[in-house]
Amino acid sequence: MTEKVGVYICHCGTNIAGPVDVEEVARWAKENLDGVVLARDYRFMCSSLGQELIQEDIKNEGLTRVVVAACSPHLHEKTFRTACSKIGLNPYLTQMASIREQVSWVTEDRAAATHKAKMMVAGAVRRVQLQEELQPTEVPVNPNTLVVGGGIAGIQAALELADAGHKVFMVEREPSIGGHMAQFDKTFPTLDCAACILTPKMSDVGLHENIELLSYAEVDSLSGFVGNFDVRVRKKARYIDEDACTGCGICIEKCPKKVVDEVFEAGLGYRKAVYRPFPQAIPKFPVIDRDTCIYFERGTCKACEKFCPTEAIDFEQTDTYLDLNVGNVIMATGYDLFDCGKIPQYGYGRLANVFTSLEFERLCNAAGPTEGHILLRDGVTEPQSVGIIHCVGSRDKQHHAYCSAVCCMSALKFGHLVMEKTGAEVYSFYIDMRPLHKNYEEFYDRLLQEGMHFIRGRVAEVTDAARLPGEDGKLIIQAEDTLIGKQRRIPVDMVILLGALQPRFDAKETGLKFGVSAGLDGWFTERHPKLDPVATMTDGVFIAGTCQGPKDIPDSVAQGAAAAARVQGMISKGTVLIEPIVATIEEARCSGCRICNTLCPFNAIEYLEDKAVSYINPALCKGCGTCVAACPAQAISGAHFTNDQIFAEMEGLLYDVIGSNGATVKSPQPALEPA
Amino acid sequence: MSDGGAPTPEKGKLALYWAASCGGCEIAVLGIDDKVLKVAEAFDIVLWPCVMDGKVRDIEKMPDKSIDLCLFNGAIRTSEQEYMAQLLRRKSKVLVAFGSCAAEGCIPALANMNTREEIFQTAYHDTPSTDNPDGVRPQIETEVPEGTLHLPLFYDTVKTLGQSVEVDYYLPGCPPEPDRIWDALVAILTGQLPAPGSVIGATTTVCDTCPRTRNEKKIKEFKRTWEIIPDPDTCLLEQGVVCCGIATRAGCGALCPTVGSPCIGCYGPNEGVVDFGARMMTALASVIDSQDPDEIDRIIQEGIPDPIGSFYRFGLANSLLRRKALAHNGDGRVAEPA
Ligand SMILES: Cc1cc2nc3c(=O)[nH]c(=O)nc-3n(C[C@H](O)[C@H](O)[C@H](O)COP(=O)(O)OP(=O)(O)OC[C@H]3O[C@@H](n4cnc5c(N)ncnc54)[C@H](O)[C@@H]3O)c2cc1C
Ligand code: SF4
Ligand code: SF4
């Protein structure tokens, strides 16, 4: 091999240089590895000085290959590729060895770490010499965007894009947009009315000339790639002709069937079989719920049809499919609330006056089932004392280890509302109070002033078994007050459980559909936890709001705007570079066995009948390598991951067992003599 | 190129040798029919133990590189075979690993699933027909009144020819098809050869020459050949029969699948493939039609009871696996002295 390899060992401050003898690794690489013409160690390779070091060497020493032994390529591969390409070396002729994540961070044994770092460098040096120049392809970006989910995060993203003049398709699963925020009465910490700040934005969405709202709809499939996604949307049958409907609501009035509204009213109120979740719903068109409609059940009724002034009711409607083409996707599918019944000792579902947080939001809401009166389950009695339990299902290894981020503040909001509306005593049972954001600590202070009681300790149980005087007919909250180190029993009339925010029940499926992965806890994973919070590992698919993890409205809005900004960036650039790391089928080797035909997760493989061979569309291929592994004829090779490259890397990693020339040690041969 | 390109007029020297093999390759050479006369025209045959008398010491006395072409079939099982491989390598200009045993180990190398000790135990003790009350085993040296007798050393591991000595060309097949043998001979004699170390053969697989129609594959159940009378026109694999045609180098003309019998892989892996068995297994695993791990386990266990026999029948010695691990015999040291 005639390549001139430069090797750079990064100290990463003391991150690497602590456990790894970086100078020794550099010295060893220069002396022992074929092809290495220079090896240096440097404090921060990713700094501009570090990058310049490489560029100088390419220029002055004529390096044809570069190996940087530093952090994971996830972080800085792009940095070093760009640095090299700026000076004229094809970016795919560089290789990183992860001697931080895979070496210095996993051991404190200096000798072992140094040895492993050498082997990793040997692997990279052998591999890089077989790497080939690759050229990315440039494709145009379709300026239309798909926003999935019409909660506050999705609404914000859609409006930002639409206001900037770009077309947005918003797909919302429920009959109306608005998400959880539409269910709330007030919002912390300002206590402004949720509807007052949300509904103007909702109607903006509904009226915006650049937004096509597809409510009561879901994404059926997504294919394609950044800049050019094909989306198939299923619009569920509403049984109402949206072109004819004026939203007058006569159908709702006349419908004789009343059912419990489990979704919007959290089971506390009723709706009709033909309904709008709430009066300000956007779009205004009602939906006939097929499962409860009398006509669908028994074949007669049609009261709505009789009274509809515009003949908009259509019982024959079926689901329809819409095919869209968009350049980018923003997912803002939000959260579900923890099922508080899963913690039986808190009595939800067994003890009537134990409520969930969403139920309480509806109780408080002037448009809710009690017209804003905070009443016990009997519908008439005002509570005189209320207990609020934090962290129900959060910070709990049995359920969700994470903190749900909004419960402490909701507790303060609830405390204020209860005291304001009923004058009742309010007790909050918290583990730690976490008023983290702007004006939150001040809000906490305010509630302390207002006389809300705070008891620090996890609640053991909520019971109606009275033991002490004054407990009869009450719910007793038993908890250890860790500040005074005593068990306490607080009798109250009403208990509110602040259930955890958890990933949508179908988040995993949704993630698969959009090529977005989820962490162990089920929230969608961002590309980088600090530096790239709204992008995902799939180019062109962004996440915003609580689908990424628990957060409050300001953060959800900020992420919605951030995702929109990222998309706008793509749109104004106009083109995207498609990674050239794709698989190709060598026609002469392909026998047309068709093993690979069904395997590609991106549908990039087609079978060419005329030539009787299979073919990979490079624009669709993401280089995942599934087909490369499967092809029995080895007719498929993955650029940048060829067999030769992978074997060379493995041989390098096994340097100490196979020696410098890569030849496996052969068994000794018998002397050349007649037997 | 079957009949094209006549052998060069000047007479060269040809040696044919067999090591651990069944003799099928010798017969395959005769399968070229009357063209064997053309071979005789082009060459003086200096060694062919199967057909004519010859002495090793005559070869030893020949100058190095004085044999123009040596077709070596059979794997390396014993020290004597390894010696002959080295000798013929030294004396030959062009050494061809002829047939599957020499090229990739073939059936003899399936013994790599056992140790020498296990093989001797079976052969000299366990088999019902063995009568060996004194437990006699082959010895490398035996003292008798007349002096010391020698037997070749029986290796623990069967090797391919290429794992013993440098090989110029490989001719796959168990045995190679006569037409391919003739093609190779013509190529060698006319000097139209690929780079040294390569396989003389196609770069695609048996499917390419198979007349059956192929569709997208989804397999719910693998079937043994006796369980099914396959449809005559559809790909056997799609019918659940484990056909190795997808991974096997073309060259045979798809003889087996054409008559309804699945390809067993005797032509070895396609060009550039490192491990035939791994290729077959990843390919089949990719098209099993189930997402349920238990069902997948069942489909594999019932349909492919012997993966080594099915996928490494011809190539175990040459595969990444090479043999069953030897480190089990006590102290962790590998027993092979050779
Ligand atoms: C009891 C309670 C009180 C709270 N009070 C406050 C408060 O006072 N102040 C504050 O700042 N924060 C508050 N929060 C937090 C607040 O609810 C969230 O920050 C905010 O609602 C998150 O908005 P989102 O758009 O991310 O998600 P969501 O509001 O959950 O919206 C997601 C939307 O996506 C839709 N969707 C889901 N899946 C799909 C799909 N597959 N296809 C199409 N559409 C889909 C849903 O129908 C929904 O409309 C509170 C939370 C709780 C639980
Ligand atoms: S590597 Fe193969 S399976 Fe993966 S995306 Fe490309 S074509 Fe599809
Ligand atoms: S698996 Fe390989 S040989 Fe079979 S069709 Fe696909 S590319 Fe061709």
Side-chain angles (χ1 to χ4, degrees), chain A residues 582-583 599-602 604-605 616 620-628 636:
Chain A
V582 294
L599 302 180
C600 178
F602 310 99
I605 306 181
I616 297 173
L620 295 179
C621 174
K622 297 234 183 263
C624 72
T626 305
C627 62
V628 181
I636 315 183

